[in-house]
Amino acid sequence: METTTTGIELQTERRWLRDFVELLSSMRFAISLLTLIAIASIIGTVLKQNEPMTNYVNQFGPFWFEVFGKLGVYALYSTWWFLLIMGFLVASTSLCILRNAPRMLSDMRSWRENVREQSLRNFHHRAEWSESNGEQALLQRALAVVTSRGYKVKVVAKDGASLLTAKRGAANKWGYIFAHSAIVIICIGGLMDSDLPIRFQQLAFGKTPFAGSGIIADIPAKHRLGLGNPSFRGNTLIPEGGRSNTAILPQASGVLIQELPFTIELKKFIVDFYTTGMPKLFASEVIVTDHETGKQFPATIKVNEPLIYKGMAVYQSSFEDGGTKLKLTGYPMSGARSYAFKTTGEVGANTPLSSDLGNEYTVEWSGFRAFNVENMTDSGDVRAVMRNKSLAESLDARLGSAAKAGGNKDLKNVGPSVQYKLRDKTGQAREFHNYMQPVLVDGAYVFLAGMRESPAEPFKYLRIPADENDSVEEWMRLRAAVQNPALREQSARRYANKAMSATGDAAMQDRLRQSALRGLEIFAGDDQQSGFLAVSRFLEKIPAAEQEKAADIFMKILNGSMWELWQVAREADGLKAVAPDQKNGQFLQIATGALADSFFYRAPVFLQLNEFDEVKASVLQVTRSPGKNVVYVGCLLLVLGVFAMLYIRERRLWIWVRSAGHDGGAHALMAMSTQRKTLDFESEFESMKRDLTGAASPASPLPPG
């Protein structure tokens, strides 16, 4: 009884193993794995891989960042589940090949001469005929016809008759073998170029990503990968005149430093642009120094023209700023005093700002562009009129795109720009983007000063009008005057005196002075609100029926008061008054709008770029891909396999020939088969039947034997 139970358990285990192998090697299982890999590859293509984690937080938000992080989609091709799927696909396809390839190869070599005459009569594509020339003559003629059509032929004697068996297109089965083998080879090549070698070094040798900052040469050995690392893909940034002998490999929690067997020195970086501002050509002229031999040689690395050396490929990936030197002028954006100060910076470095701003700030210089192409199509009059306009519409008129798009594109290079973050002592920061030169927008030259709260947002641009010296000094003078109570009082008195001088009504003149002063105070605002927002809040307190009339009067008084305030401010600085012409009127109108929007600009200082010494840097991608050639072989096999399966058709043909009675005649039975019945096969069968039967008359089926 115990023996019987053991036998049943053994049979159950064998059945379970057989079922598992059957499932693993089945086509439906392989197709399911391929579908999962295809979906994962689409995700990995759409979502840029191995970016800094902060980029993904800004893109998806905290909740979905955590969800996607658990799934590992930020480094998808190195996640355990993707590698597991690849491993299962290799195992599944390999089992399929092991199970079916021997049978296919045996079938390719087989002539299938064990067929019987009666079984040939059951074929759909068959023909019978008789000839008087005898068995051998009929057999020789059939042999000639079949071989002339490219068939391989074998003749065997069988049951007192002769069987001619032929085959063509047996290489079709190589297509299945090649295609399945290609999948295995490509997957193996992909695994060879994956993060498996790096993961192994992290587990076996304690290598860990480096999450800090500092000089690359000072990073400890536990964060560095040696020259023996078989597979990697990293980047190196080299400024003009600089050199590098390492590559940076991004990881989820930091970076790994990959040692290189050579040093790359960037002599010159070349970049050319299309009229749209997109890069047309960028290339790096470098000097390569071999560490082992000391050999040096020049090379030019272009897009799609990498440098191949010592089993590594160095590609031109992109370009960055390499530490451009900047000279700027700073203007405070708050307070009643107008002044300027000089400062310097370097892209990639930090600069502390003066404590005169009322707080401690640090400028983090993040970018510089010497070439900016913008769409400067005239979009019409976008000047904000408070009457019948919402706050959002008023803001969009100025704090919008640098150049609003119209129906047609007018692309122009608007000159250099600088990008930086202004961080206070609490760590809070906003990002700014300022153009160096004034830009013609809606018929007036303005300086565009961009601001955004986070990298996920687009820049909103403040439009500061350029004065007659192409500077922002005049606007800064007016800004400080708006915040100066003494100058506001003086300008309100002057406005009232001029407006009421003809009437001589002192009481009316005083009321107008008070109204003008009140309007300037409302416009100047406080820490909570200012500009047109404060004006709109004030007008909302007036009964709805009188708001439109009150708005007209308020804006008329405000415009007149602002004009006088501008003149008073110039006189205080020892300058003469400006002429009340259209040009100065337009300047004041744009300046007033910019003053209203400066509350939303939310910057303690405006930094105007004056000079720069540009330093370019080349970003090179360094790869070692031992699996690349393996993948190429797999792709070649895949092409050959698909070609064989689609364009090579296997056909089998049998002709059974035997004597027909004592008159010396012969009888023939022909049958054909194929895996895929197509119109071509039907035509081939009819042609073959016609050539074989010739002038012979169809024969009635003879009894076998």
Side-chain angles (χ1 to χ4, degrees):
M1 184 66 181
E2 183 178 351
T3 303
T4 304
T5 303
T6 303
I8 295 174
E9 291 176 351
L10 184 59
Q11 291 179 4
T12 303
E13 291 178 0
R14 288 178 177 175
R15 188 183 308 112
W16 178 87
L17 181 60
R18 184 173 62 251
D19 292 342
F20 176 75
V21 173
E22 181 69 27
L23 173 64
L24 190 61
S25 60
S26 65
M27 180 176 292
R28 65 180 183 273
F29 186 74
I31 291 176
S32 300
L33 294 176
L34 282 172
T35 302
L36 293 175
I37 291 175
I39 294 173
S41 299
I42 292 173
I43 296 173
T45 302
V46 173
L47 181 63
K48 198 171 182 180
Q49 300 289 289
N50 295 313
E51 287 285 288
M53 292 296 106
T54 53
N55 292 6
Y56 298 119
V57 175
N58 294 330
Q59 184 174 356
F60 300 117
F63 175 77
W64 288 109
F65 168 77
E66 292 292 339
V67 173
F68 294 151
K70 296 294 184 183
L71 297 176
V73 297
Y74 308 134
L76 189 145
Y77 300 116
S78 60
T79 56
W80 65 268
W81 56 266
F82 184 83
L83 297 177
L84 184 64
I85 292 175
M86 293 277 285
F88 268 115
L89 182 60
V90 170
S92 174
T93 312
S94 300
L95 280 175
C96 184
I97 295 173
L98 291 174
R99 291 183 60 190
N100 297 312
R103 178 170 51 83
M104 289 182 176
L105 294 175
S106 176
D107 187 63
M108 289 168 58
R109 293 190 297 266
S110 171
W111 290 96
R112 299 185 186 177
E113 67 264 26
N114 293 327
V115 66
R116 292 178 172 274
E117 182 180 8
Q118 184 57 41
S119 63
L120 295 180
R121 298 184 187 280
N122 295 327
F123 279 60
H124 177 72
H125 296 85
R126 67 183 186 278
E128 292 189 58
W129 70 96
S130 297
E131 294 186 11
S132 58
N133 294 331
E135 178 180 342
Q136 290 302 317
L138 190 155
L139 187 62
Q140 291 301 319
R141 192 172 70 82
L143 186 63
V145 170
V146 174
T147 54
S148 67
R149 289 177 171 268
Y151 281 79
K152 294 181 179 179
V153 179
K154 181 180 181 181
V155 179
V156 296
K158 190 166 184 172
D159 298 334
S162 297
L163 175 64
L164 184 152
T165 176
K167 58 184 177 181
R168 185 181 179 187
N172 169 271
K173 289 184 173 57
W174 280 111
Y176 294 92
I177 297 174
F178 284 170
H180 285 73
S181 300
I183 295 175
V184 175
I185 293 173
I186 291 174
C187 289
I188 291 175
L191 290 172
M192 290 174 62
D193 287 347
S194 68
D195 283 353
L196 285 179
I198 296 177
R199 286 173 174 262
F200 173 77
Q201 293 179 70
Q202 289 177 327
L203 293 174
F205 305 116
K207 300 293 183 180
T208 58
F210 178 70
S213 61
I215 301 174
I216 292 180
D218 297 336
I219 295 178
K222 66 178 182 179
H223 307 303
R224 311 175 80 93
L225 302 175
L227 299 178
N229 186 17
S231 172
F232 64 86
R233 183 183 301 271
N235 295 321
T236 181
L237 186 147
I238 311 175
E240 286 182 324
R243 58 182 63 192
S244 173
N245 58 6
T246 59
I248 306 299
L249 279 59
Q251 301 290 301
S253 57
V255 297
L256 290 170
I257 309 301
Q258 173 63 56
E259 301 284 353
L260 302 179
F262 48 82
T263 296
I264 304 174
E265 180 182 357
L266 180 63
K267 303 300 292 183
K268 184 179 180 181
F269 181 74
I270 304 169
V271 61
D272 192 13
F273 296 91
Y274 291 105
T275 56
T276 60
M278 295 297 293
K280 177 170 63 176
L281 166 70
F282 46 97
S284 300
E285 295 182 356
V286 301
I287 300 293
V288 180
T289 303
D290 191 303
H291 294 170
E292 184 178 359
T293 64
K295 172 187 174 183
Q296 287 188 338
F297 61 91
T300 300
I301 305 172
K302 299 181 181 179
V303 177
N304 298 325
E305 296 182 19
L307 165 68
I308 309 296
Y309 187 63
K310 287 204 164 184
M312 300 180 189
V314 183
Y315 296 89
Q316 181 66 64
S317 176
S318 62
F319 59 93
E320 298 287 347
D321 192 284
T324 295
K325 307 295 189 298
L326 308 170
K327 293 183 179 180
L328 309 96
T329 300
Y331 299 90
M333 293 290 286
S334 61
R337 188 164 67 96
S338 176
Y339 66 96
F341 60 91
K342 300 295 183 180
T343 187
T344 60
E346 179 180 331
V347 175
N350 301 334
T351 301
L353 280 185
S354 170
S355 58
D356 294 344
L357 299 174
N359 200 344
E360 295 180 3
Y361 291 94
T362 300
V363 186
E364 300 173 0
W365 308 101
S366 55
F368 168 82
R369 291 188 65 180
F371 187 82
N372 288 276
V373 174
E374 299 286 354
N375 179 13
M376 305 308 298
T377 303
D378 186 7
S379 58
D381 188 4
V382 295
R383 292 172 295 179
V385 180
M386 288 305 299
R387 185 175 60 221
N388 298 327
K389 276 191 176 286
S390 67
L391 172 63
E393 292 173 316
S394 176
L395 289 180
D396 183 65
R398 300 176 190 83
L399 290 178
S401 64
K404 292 182 178 293
N408 300 313
K409 290 185 177 181
D410 182 16
L411 301 175
K412 292 182 180 179
N413 178 19
V414 295
S417 66
V418 62
Q419 192 166 325
Y420 58 89
K421 288 182 179 179
L422 202 58
R423 192 176 301 277
D424 61 23
K425 62 182 180 181
T426 65
Q428 299 297 315
R430 294 185 182 89
E431 192 170 11
F432 299 89
H433 180 218
N434 297 344
Y435 287 83
M436 179 179 180
Q437 301 171 352
V439 179
L440 182 62
V441 178
D442 297 326
Y445 281 95
V446 296
F447 287 92
L448 297 174
M451 185 277 295
R452 63 183 179 185
E453 298 284 350
S454 72
E457 300 176 357
F459 281 104
K460 298 294 184 79
Y461 287 88
L462 176 67
R463 301 180 183 184
I464 302 176
D467 57 28
E468 58 184 7
N469 298 320
D470 286 334
S471 72
V472 298
E473 291 182 0
E474 203 66 40
W475 185 83
M476 292 295 175
R477 179 181 292 112
L478 183 59
R479 182 214 61 76
V482 170
Q483 300 296 323
N484 191 320
L487 294 183
R488 290 200 301 263
E489 173 67 33
Q490 186 178 349
S491 63
R493 181 178 295 106
R494 288 179 56 166
Y495 170 72
N497 291 340
K498 288 183 178 181
M500 305 302 296
S501 60
T503 63
D505 189 340
M508 182 66 72
Q509 181 176 324
D510 186 62
R511 285 197 295 270
L512 183 57
R513 180 192 62 80
Q514 293 179 16
S515 297
L517 181 58
R518 178 59 176 159
L520 289 174
E521 290 174 347
I522 292 173
F523 186 81
D526 51 31
D527 293 339
Q528 301 300 318
Q529 58 185 19
S530 64
F532 291 133
L533 177 60
V535 172
S536 64
R537 293 286 188 270
F538 172 77
L539 294 175
E540 287 174 358
K541 300 176 183 178
I542 300 174
E546 302 177 10
Q547 281 185 5
E548 183 174 353
K549 181 179 179 180
D552 286 337
I553 297 173
F554 188 97
M555 293 303 299
K556 183 178 180 180
I557 295 174
L558 179 63
N559 290 335
S561 303
M562 289 293 294
W563 176 267
E564 296 300 334
L565 182 63
W566 183 17
Q567 311 313 311
V568 169
R570 288 180 60 85
E571 292 174 4
D573 290 344
L575 301 174
K576 65 179 181 179
V578 297
D581 54 21
Q582 182 180 359
K583 177 182 177 182
N584 290 322
Q586 184 186 33
F587 175 88
L588 181 62
Q589 187 176 33
I590 299 173
T592 303
L595 288 171
D597 292 336
S598 63
F599 174 75
F600 302 96
Y601 186 62
R602 302 181 70 182
V605 64
F606 171 76
L607 297 178
Q608 177 63 42
L609 179 63
N610 301 127
E611 300 178 29
F612 61 87
D613 182 12
E614 186 178 13
V615 179
K616 300 186 183 73
S618 178
V619 179
L620 303 176
Q621 185 182 79
V622 186
T623 66
R624 175 180 278 164
S625 305
K628 179 178 65 176
N629 294 330
V630 177
V631 172
Y632 287 160
V633 173
C635 291
L636 176 62
L637 284 178
L638 184 61
V639 171
L640 294 175
V642 172
F643 180 86
M645 288 189 292
L646 293 180
Y647 297 102
I648 299 178
R649 294 178 295 111
E650 183 181 16
R651 285 93 77 199
R652 295 280 183 165
L653 180 144
W654 298 268
I655 302 178
W656 192 287
V657 181
R658 61 187 176 91
S659 299
H662 302 286
D663 56 357
H667 179 82
L669 171 62
M670 182 267 285
M672 284 186 69
S673 70
T674 184
Q675 288 181 325
R676 298 194 306 270
K677 293 180 174 61
T678 62
L679 293 177
D680 289 340
F681 177 72
E682 297 288 345
S683 176
E684 182 180 2
F685 170 73
E686 293 298 331
S687 177
M688 180 73 76
K689 182 172 70 171
R690 186 168 53 251
D691 290 349
L692 286 173
T693 58
S697 58
S700 300
L702 296 178

Short mmCIF file of all heavy atoms in Angstrom, two decimals, residues 330-367:
data_model
loop_
_atom_site.label_atom_id
_atom_site.label_comp_id
_atom_site.label_asym_id
_atom_site.label_seq_id
_atom_site.Cartn_x
_atom_site.Cartn_y
_atom_site.Cartn_z
N GLY A 330 21.96 95.45 -10.21
CA GLY A 330 20.79 95.14 -9.40
C GLY A 330 20.02 96.41 -9.05
O GLY A 330 20.61 97.45 -8.75
N TYR A 331 18.68 96.29 -9.11
CA TYR A 331 17.80 97.40 -8.74
C TYR A 331 16.80 96.88 -7.71
O TYR A 331 16.12 95.87 -7.96
CB TYR A 331 17.02 97.93 -9.95
CG TYR A 331 17.88 98.47 -11.06
CD1 TYR A 331 18.33 97.64 -12.09
CD2 TYR A 331 18.22 99.81 -11.10
CE1 TYR A 331 19.11 98.14 -13.13
CE2 TYR A 331 19.00 100.33 -12.15
CZ TYR A 331 19.44 99.48 -13.15
OH TYR A 331 20.20 99.98 -14.17
N PRO A 332 16.70 97.54 -6.56
CA PRO A 332 15.70 97.08 -5.57
C PRO A 332 14.29 97.28 -6.10
O PRO A 332 14.00 98.24 -6.81
CB PRO A 332 15.98 97.97 -4.36
CG PRO A 332 16.65 99.18 -4.91
CD PRO A 332 17.45 98.72 -6.09
N MET A 333 13.39 96.35 -5.77
CA MET A 333 12.01 96.39 -6.22
C MET A 333 11.05 96.82 -5.12
O MET A 333 9.83 96.70 -5.27
CB MET A 333 11.60 95.01 -6.76
CG MET A 333 12.33 94.61 -8.03
SD MET A 333 11.82 95.57 -9.46
CE MET A 333 10.21 94.83 -9.78
N SER A 334 11.57 97.32 -4.03
CA SER A 334 10.73 97.83 -2.95
C SER A 334 11.46 98.98 -2.28
O SER A 334 12.66 99.17 -2.46
CB SER A 334 10.41 96.72 -1.93
OG SER A 334 11.61 96.24 -1.34
N GLY A 335 10.72 99.76 -1.49
CA GLY A 335 11.32 100.89 -0.80
C GLY A 335 11.20 102.17 -1.59
O GLY A 335 10.91 102.17 -2.79
N ALA A 336 11.43 103.29 -0.90
CA ALA A 336 11.26 104.61 -1.49
C ALA A 336 12.55 105.18 -2.05
O ALA A 336 12.59 106.35 -2.45
CB ALA A 336 10.68 105.56 -0.45
N ARG A 337 13.61 104.38 -2.09
CA ARG A 337 14.89 104.87 -2.59
C ARG A 337 15.25 104.14 -3.87
O ARG A 337 15.18 102.91 -3.94
CB ARG A 337 15.98 104.67 -1.54
CG ARG A 337 17.31 105.34 -1.91
CD ARG A 337 18.21 105.43 -0.69
NE ARG A 337 18.64 104.11 -0.24
CZ ARG A 337 19.82 103.55 -0.60
NH1 ARG A 337 20.63 104.20 -1.42
NH2 ARG A 337 20.16 102.38 -0.12
N SER A 338 15.61 104.91 -4.89
CA SER A 338 16.02 104.34 -6.17
C SER A 338 17.53 104.35 -6.27
O SER A 338 18.16 105.42 -6.22
CB SER A 338 15.41 105.13 -7.33
OG SER A 338 15.88 104.64 -8.57
N TYR A 339 18.13 103.19 -6.39
CA TYR A 339 19.58 103.11 -6.52
C TYR A 339 19.92 101.82 -7.26
O TYR A 339 19.07 100.94 -7.46
CB TYR A 339 20.27 103.15 -5.17
CG TYR A 339 19.99 101.94 -4.28
CD1 TYR A 339 20.88 100.87 -4.24
CD2 TYR A 339 18.85 101.89 -3.49
CE1 TYR A 339 20.63 99.76 -3.44
CE2 TYR A 339 18.59 100.80 -2.69
CZ TYR A 339 19.48 99.74 -2.66
OH TYR A 339 19.22 98.65 -1.87
N ALA A 340 21.15 101.71 -7.65
CA ALA A 340 21.62 100.52 -8.37
C ALA A 340 22.92 100.05 -7.76
O ALA A 340 23.66 100.84 -7.16
CB ALA A 340 21.81 100.83 -9.86
N PHE A 341 23.19 98.75 -7.89
CA PHE A 341 24.46 98.20 -7.40
C PHE A 341 24.95 97.15 -8.39
O PHE A 341 24.16 96.54 -9.11
CB PHE A 341 24.29 97.59 -6.00
CG PHE A 341 23.29 96.47 -5.93
CD1 PHE A 341 23.69 95.15 -6.11
CD2 PHE A 341 21.95 96.72 -5.69
CE1 PHE A 341 22.77 94.11 -6.04
CE2 PHE A 341 21.03 95.69 -5.62
CZ PHE A 341 21.44 94.38 -5.79
N LYS A 342 26.23 96.95 -8.43
CA LYS A 342 26.85 96.00 -9.34
C LYS A 342 27.05 94.65 -8.65
O LYS A 342 27.31 94.59 -7.45
CB LYS A 342 28.21 96.52 -9.84
CG LYS A 342 28.14 97.83 -10.59
CD LYS A 342 27.35 97.68 -11.89
CE LYS A 342 27.34 99.00 -12.69
NZ LYS A 342 26.57 98.87 -13.94
N THR A 343 26.91 93.59 -9.41
CA THR A 343 27.16 92.25 -8.89
C THR A 343 27.67 91.37 -10.02
O THR A 343 27.53 91.72 -11.21
CB THR A 343 25.89 91.64 -8.28
OG1 THR A 343 26.21 90.40 -7.64
CG2 THR A 343 24.84 91.37 -9.35
N THR A 344 28.27 90.28 -9.67
CA THR A 344 28.78 89.32 -10.65
C THR A 344 28.28 87.93 -10.31
O THR A 344 27.81 87.67 -9.19
CB THR A 344 30.33 89.33 -10.68
OG1 THR A 344 30.81 88.97 -9.37
CG2 THR A 344 30.87 90.69 -11.08
N GLY A 345 28.39 87.05 -11.26
CA GLY A 345 27.96 85.67 -11.03
C GLY A 345 28.61 84.73 -12.03
O GLY A 345 29.22 85.16 -13.01
N GLU A 346 28.45 83.45 -11.76
CA GLU A 346 28.95 82.41 -12.66
C GLU A 346 27.91 81.30 -12.70
O GLU A 346 27.45 80.83 -11.65
CB GLU A 346 30.29 81.86 -12.17
CG GLU A 346 30.85 80.76 -13.05
CD GLU A 346 32.18 80.24 -12.55
OE1 GLU A 346 32.92 81.02 -11.92
OE2 GLU A 346 32.46 79.03 -12.77
N VAL A 347 27.50 80.91 -13.90
CA VAL A 347 26.48 79.89 -14.05
C VAL A 347 26.94 78.61 -13.36
O VAL A 347 28.04 78.11 -13.59
CB VAL A 347 26.18 79.63 -15.54
CG1 VAL A 347 25.20 78.47 -15.69
CG2 VAL A 347 25.62 80.88 -16.20
N GLY A 348 26.07 78.11 -12.50
CA GLY A 348 26.39 76.93 -11.72
C GLY A 348 26.89 77.24 -10.32
O GLY A 348 27.02 76.33 -9.50
N ALA A 349 27.14 78.54 -10.04
CA ALA A 349 27.62 78.95 -8.72
C ALA A 349 26.57 79.82 -8.03
O ALA A 349 25.50 80.08 -8.58
CB ALA A 349 28.94 79.70 -8.86
N ASN A 350 26.88 80.26 -6.81
CA ASN A 350 25.98 81.09 -6.01
C ASN A 350 26.64 82.43 -5.68
O ASN A 350 27.86 82.51 -5.56
CB ASN A 350 25.59 80.39 -4.69
CG ASN A 350 24.91 79.05 -4.94
OD1 ASN A 350 24.30 78.84 -5.98
ND2 ASN A 350 25.01 78.14 -3.98
N THR A 351 25.79 83.44 -5.53
CA THR A 351 26.27 84.78 -5.17
C THR A 351 25.40 85.36 -4.07
O THR A 351 24.17 85.44 -4.24
CB THR A 351 26.24 85.72 -6.40
OG1 THR A 351 27.05 85.19 -7.43
CG2 THR A 351 26.74 87.11 -6.02
N PRO A 352 25.97 85.76 -2.93
CA PRO A 352 25.17 86.43 -1.89
C PRO A 352 24.84 87.85 -2.32
O PRO A 352 25.65 88.53 -2.97
CB PRO A 352 26.07 86.40 -0.67
CG PRO A 352 27.46 86.32 -1.23
CD PRO A 352 27.37 85.56 -2.51
N LEU A 353 23.65 88.32 -1.94
CA LEU A 353 23.22 89.67 -2.27
C LEU A 353 23.37 90.59 -1.07
O LEU A 353 23.43 90.14 0.08
CB LEU A 353 21.77 89.68 -2.76
CG LEU A 353 21.54 89.26 -4.21
CD1 LEU A 353 20.08 89.43 -4.58
CD2 LEU A 353 22.41 90.04 -5.17
N SER A 354 23.33 91.89 -1.34
CA SER A 354 23.52 92.89 -0.30
C SER A 354 22.41 92.80 0.74
O SER A 354 21.24 92.55 0.43
CB SER A 354 23.53 94.28 -0.93
OG SER A 354 23.49 95.28 0.06
N SER A 355 22.77 93.05 1.99
CA SER A 355 21.79 93.04 3.07
C SER A 355 20.91 94.28 3.07
O SER A 355 19.97 94.38 3.85
CB SER A 355 22.50 92.92 4.42
OG SER A 355 23.41 94.01 4.59
N ASP A 356 21.19 95.26 2.20
CA ASP A 356 20.37 96.47 2.11
C ASP A 356 18.95 96.14 1.64
O ASP A 356 18.06 96.98 1.74
CB ASP A 356 21.00 97.47 1.13
CG ASP A 356 22.33 98.00 1.65
OD1 ASP A 356 22.60 97.82 2.85
OD2 ASP A 356 23.09 98.57 0.86
N LEU A 357 18.74 94.94 1.11
CA LEU A 357 17.43 94.57 0.61
C LEU A 357 16.46 94.21 1.73
O LEU A 357 15.31 93.91 1.47
CB LEU A 357 17.56 93.38 -0.37
CG LEU A 357 18.43 93.65 -1.61
CD1 LEU A 357 18.60 92.37 -2.40
CD2 LEU A 357 17.80 94.72 -2.47
N GLY A 358 16.91 94.22 2.94
CA GLY A 358 16.02 93.94 4.06
C GLY A 358 15.98 92.48 4.44
O GLY A 358 15.31 92.10 5.38
N ASN A 359 16.69 91.64 3.74
CA ASN A 359 16.73 90.21 4.04
C ASN A 359 18.01 89.66 3.43
O ASN A 359 18.64 90.31 2.60
CB ASN A 359 15.49 89.50 3.47
CG ASN A 359 15.25 88.16 4.15
OD1 ASN A 359 16.13 87.62 4.82
ND2 ASN A 359 14.05 87.63 3.99
N GLU A 360 18.38 88.49 3.82
CA GLU A 360 19.57 87.85 3.26
C GLU A 360 19.14 86.93 2.13
O GLU A 360 18.36 86.00 2.34
CB GLU A 360 20.31 87.07 4.34
CG GLU A 360 20.87 87.95 5.46
CD GLU A 360 21.59 87.13 6.52
OE1 GLU A 360 21.70 85.89 6.33
OE2 GLU A 360 22.04 87.71 7.51
N TYR A 361 19.68 87.20 0.94
CA TYR A 361 19.32 86.43 -0.24
C TYR A 361 20.59 85.87 -0.89
O TYR A 361 21.68 86.45 -0.78
CB TYR A 361 18.58 87.29 -1.26
CG TYR A 361 17.19 87.71 -0.81
CD1 TYR A 361 16.99 88.94 -0.17
CD2 TYR A 361 16.10 86.89 -1.02
CE1 TYR A 361 15.73 89.33 0.24
CE2 TYR A 361 14.83 87.27 -0.61
CZ TYR A 361 14.65 88.48 0.01
OH TYR A 361 13.40 88.87 0.43
N THR A 362 20.38 84.74 -1.57
CA THR A 362 21.45 84.12 -2.35
C THR A 362 20.93 83.89 -3.77
O THR A 362 19.83 83.37 -3.96
CB THR A 362 21.89 82.79 -1.75
OG1 THR A 362 22.36 83.02 -0.41
CG2 THR A 362 23.00 82.15 -2.57
N VAL A 363 21.74 84.29 -4.74
CA VAL A 363 21.38 84.05 -6.14
C VAL A 363 22.05 82.76 -6.60
O VAL A 363 23.27 82.62 -6.50
CB VAL A 363 21.84 85.22 -7.04
CG1 VAL A 363 21.33 85.01 -8.47
CG2 VAL A 363 21.34 86.54 -6.50
N GLU A 364 21.23 81.83 -7.08
CA GLU A 364 21.74 80.57 -7.63
C GLU A 364 21.63 80.66 -9.15
O GLU A 364 20.54 80.58 -9.71
CB GLU A 364 20.94 79.39 -7.08
CG GLU A 364 20.99 79.28 -5.57
CD GLU A 364 20.04 78.21 -5.02
OE1 GLU A 364 19.35 77.56 -5.84
OE2 GLU A 364 20.00 78.03 -3.80
N TRP A 365 22.76 80.87 -9.82
CA TRP A 365 22.78 81.05 -11.27
C TRP A 365 22.59 79.70 -11.95
O TRP A 365 23.45 78.84 -11.87
CB TRP A 365 24.08 81.71 -11.70
CG TRP A 365 24.40 82.96 -10.93
CD1 TRP A 365 25.28 83.09 -9.91
CD2 TRP A 365 23.81 84.24 -11.13
NE1 TRP A 365 25.29 84.39 -9.45
CE2 TRP A 365 24.39 85.13 -10.18
CE3 TRP A 365 22.84 84.75 -12.01
CZ2 TRP A 365 24.04 86.46 -10.10
CZ3 TRP A 365 22.49 86.08 -11.92
CH2 TRP A 365 23.08 86.93 -10.99
N SER A 366 21.47 79.54 -12.62
CA SER A 366 21.13 78.21 -13.17
C SER A 366 21.26 78.10 -14.67
O SER A 366 21.32 76.99 -15.20
CB SER A 366 19.69 77.84 -12.77
OG SER A 366 18.78 78.85 -13.19
N GLY A 367 21.30 79.23 -15.39
CA GLY A 367 21.39 79.09 -16.84
C GLY A 367 21.66 80.40 -17.55
O GLY A 367 21.37 81.49 -17.04
#
